[in-house]
Amino acid sequence: MHFLVIGSGGREHAIIWKLANSPKVSKLSAIPGSDAIAQYATCHSLDVTNHELVVEFCKDNAVDLVVIGPEAPLVDGLVDSLQATGIACFGPDKYAAQLEGSKAFTKKICSDYNIPTAAYNVFDNLKDAASFIEGNQDYPIVLKADGLAAGKGVIIAEDKTHAIETIEYIFDGGFGSAGSKVVIEEFLEGEEASLFVITDGDAMVTLPAAQDHKRAFTGDKGPNTGGMGAYAPAPCMTSDLIDVALKKIVEPTLQALKDANHPYKGVLYTGLMLTKQGPKLIEYNARFGDPECQVLMMLLQEDLAEIFLDVANGTLKTQNLTQCDKSAICIVMATNGYPASYEKGSIIKNLPDDISSSDDIVFHAGTKKQDDMWAANGGRVLNVCAQAENFKLAHDSAYASVEKIDWPEGFFRTDIGKSAL
Ligand code: AMP
Ligand code: GLY
C-alpha cells in the first residue's frame, strides 16, 4: 500500500521509519518530508493549506492512507477535505481537532462531562478579563490564548501586574487570532505526564505513558520549548493512574465527540497533571507529541501501518500496549539560541547515517544535506534516541551517542529522564 505522511520533523521521521518496517507498506511519500526522511520516502513540496492540491496528489499517486503528523492541517480540516473525496486518513476531523485547536472547546466538554481539570473562566474581551483578575487573590494564575499559538500561548502569571500585562498583550493581538478568547485557570501542582491513546472512535489502543521536558535548559530552567527530551514508560504513571485517567478523562471525552457525531479517529495526546486529588487534564493535542512519538515508535512492537489502517477503517481492537519490557529515551539537540532566534546552516559531524535496525537511533528534526554533509536547518535539530532493557541502560546509551556527535553550535539538556533514574 502507498502511505503518505504529512510533516517534516523528528516525529514524522520516526513514524516513517516505523512504517518502512511494515510488510503492508510498499510505497512511502511525504509532504514536505526532509533530506533525512528521503532515505525512506519520496518527498514532495506541496502547500498543505491548499486542500485541493493534496487531494489531487493523492488521486494521481493512488495513495491508500494519509497520516497527518502536525496539528495545523488537522485543525484546518485537511481530514474533512480528503475524506469528502473518499481518501482514507489517520487523524481527527476538523470538529474533533478542536480538542487541540480551542482550549475553550475542551473546557466546555470538561464541564459538560464532569472531567477533572483546572477550574477556569473564558473571556472574549479585555474589560471582563481584567476585572476578573482584579478580583483574583490566588497566584500564580494560568492565562491561555484559546487557539493554536505554536506552543507559546500559555503564560503562568506570578502576580496581578504580570497577569494584567499578559491579557493586554493577548487581546492586543500578541498571538494573532488565537487570542480572540482567553482561558484563565487555576494553577495546578504536581508531576506532568503524557498519555497517548489511538482510537477509531470506538476501540482504543493505549500506549506507554511518556514524560516530556518542556523547558529549554537543564534543571527545568529557561523558556518553554516544543520539548527538549522525552522518555517512556514514565514510572510516575502507574497502571492504576493510567486506568483512572482513561476512565475519568479520556473515555468521557471520546464519548462527548461521539455524542456530537464526530467520533475521534487518530491519536489523542492527553497532557496530565498528577495532583494530590488525582490526575487532572491540562490539555489535549490531536496528534502525537514531538519528541514523545520518537520513543513510542521505538517501543512499539506492533505493525504501525496495521494500526493506522484499522483506525481509518473502524476495525481497531482495544488493546493495552503499555506493558512494554523495554525503556526508550530521546534527547533533543537544538541550535544555540532556540527557542528564540538562531542561525541555520551549521555543520554537524559524526552523525550515524544508517538507522534501519538499531537500538540507538538519531531521528532528524531539522536538518538538510549540504555538500554531502548534514547541516542544522531549524531550532530543534536532532533527536538522539536509545532503547534498552531498562531505563538506565537506555539513558546512558543515548547520552553516549550525544557525546559522539560533533556540533559546537548545538545544545542539549543533561537531565532527560532524571526522575526515572
Ligand atoms: P500547554 O501548552 O497547554 O501544554 O501548556 C504548557 C505548559 O504550561 C504545561 O506543560 C504545563 O507545564 C503548564 N500548564 C498549563 N496549564 C497549567 C495549569 N493549569 N497549572 C499549572 N501548569 C500549567
Ligand atoms: N512535546 C510536546 C508537544 O508535542 O506538544
Side-chain angles (χ1 to χ4, degrees):
M1 300 181 97
H2 182 186
F3 278 51
L4 165 66
V5 177
I6 309 280
S8 63
R11 169 181 50 207
E12 289 76 23
H13 194 198
I15 289 173
I16 285 173
W17 164 77
K18 192 72 191 158
L19 288 175
N21 286 322
S22 166
K24 280 242 155 28
V25 178
S26 56
K27 189 169 176 193
L28 271 166
S29 298
I31 299 176
S34 67
D35 289 344
I37 285 174
Q39 182 188 347
Y40 294 111
T42 315
C43 298
H44 303 267
S45 57
L46 271 190
D47 174 11
V48 293
T49 65
N50 186 334
H51 296 185
E52 270 176 37
L53 277 183
V54 183
V55 167
E56 200 179 287
F57 175 90
C58 293
K59 296 218 150 145
D60 290 351
N61 293 280
V63 170
D64 294 295
L65 186 88
V66 183
V67 180
I68 299 175
E71 61 277 17
L74 294 166
V75 172
D76 187 37
L78 181 57
V79 166
D80 307 61
S81 302
L82 291 165
Q83 279 174 348
T85 59
I87 298 160
C89 295
F90 178 82
D93 68 12
K94 184 173 179 148
Y95 182 91
Q98 288 181 87
L99 283 182
E100 177 161 5
S102 166
K103 297 193 190 295
F105 174 87
T106 298
K107 285 293 197 183
K108 175 83 170 51
I109 290 182
C110 290
S111 95
D112 290 351
Y113 286 76
N114 209 9
I115 293 168
T117 187
Y120 73 100
N121 288 280
V122 183
F123 298 95
D124 63 7
N125 66 81
L126 177 61
K127 187 164 161 280
D128 291 347
S131 88
F132 175 85
I133 290 170
E134 286 300 341
N136 177 65
Q137 304 304 331
D138 291 330
Y139 287 90
I141 197 169
V142 185
L143 310 163
K144 301 184 170 184
D146 178 60
L148 291 186
K152 297 187 180 124
V154 174
I155 289 103
I156 296 172
E158 296 298 336
D159 54 39
K160 193 173 283 184
T161 313
H162 185 197
I164 295 281
E165 275 168 20
T166 303
I167 50 154
E168 283 173 354
Y169 175 79
I170 299 177
F171 279 117
D172 212 24
F175 296 118
S177 60
S180 60
K181 277 189 234 161
V182 172
V183 175
I184 301 185
E185 69 179 38
E186 166 202 12
F187 179 78
L188 298 176
E189 281 179 79
E191 193 158 2
E192 281 184 56
S194 311
L195 188 60
F196 294 86
V197 300
I198 295 176
T199 172
D200 63 355
D202 285 314
M204 200 165 75
V205 170
T206 310
L207 299 169
Q211 254 184 334
D212 188 15
H213 297 66
K214 282 203 189 285
R215 301 291 206 93
F217 308 126
T218 300
D220 278 334
K221 302 237 163 43
N224 263 344
T225 68
M228 290 298 294
Y231 69 96
C236 64
M237 236 7 228
T238 59
S239 59
D240 283 353
L241 280 177
I242 292 179
D243 284 346
V244 172
L246 291 175
K247 290 258 149 7
K248 293 200 165 168
I249 299 176
V250 177
E251 286 171 14
T253 303
L254 296 179
Q255 186 61 45
L257 291 168
K258 229 190 216 177
D259 293 345
N261 286 321
H262 288 274
Y264 192 96
K265 290 166 183 273
V267 57
L268 181 64
Y269 162 166
T270 308
L272 295 167
M273 190 72 86
L274 307 179
T275 72
K276 284 196 183 116
Q277 297 89 42
K280 292 193 180 179
L281 176 70
I282 302 179
E283 58 154 357
Y284 279 124
N285 293 309
R287 48 161 177 96
F288 278 112
D290 185 347
E292 295 94 320
C293 181
Q294 289 79 316
V295 293
L296 296 177
M297 290 304 112
M298 290 193 76
L299 293 174
L300 189 70
Q301 300 296 313
E302 287 69 17
D303 184 338
L304 183 67
E306 263 177 41
I307 295 178
F308 284 170
L309 287 166
D310 280 336
V311 169
N313 298 330
T315 50
L316 195 70
K317 293 199 178 50
T318 292
Q319 286 184 67
N320 187 340
L321 301 182
T322 59
Q323 308 298 336
C324 53
D325 51 4
K326 287 193 165 185
S327 281
I329 181 171
C330 171
I331 299 157
V332 173
M333 296 181 79
T335 308
N336 289 335
Y338 173 79
S341 63
Y342 52 83
E343 291 196 3
K344 292 184 178 178
S346 53
I347 297 298
I348 307 162
K349 293 187 190 142
N350 287 352
L351 262 188
D353 243 358
D354 181 20
I355 66 166
S356 46
S357 65
S358 164
D359 279 349
D360 297 281
I361 291 183
V362 180
F363 295 116
H364 290 224
T367 63
K368 64 172 182 210
K369 268 260 154 99
Q370 204 167 279
D371 303 327
D372 231 27
M373 286 182 292
W374 288 109
N377 195 37
R380 291 190 294 173
V381 172
L382 299 172
N383 300 149
V384 183
C385 301
Q387 68 167 343
E389 285 68 52
N390 64 53
F391 182 69
K392 170 110 181 52
L393 286 174
H395 170 275
D396 293 354
S397 175
Y399 274 106
S401 300
V402 166
E403 291 303 334
K404 282 185 209 142
I405 293 170
D406 179 5
W407 181 35
E409 293 82 359
F411 74 98
F412 59 91
R413 279 180 61 155
T414 57
D415 61 347
I416 303 303
K418 194 173 167 205
S419 67
L421 273 179

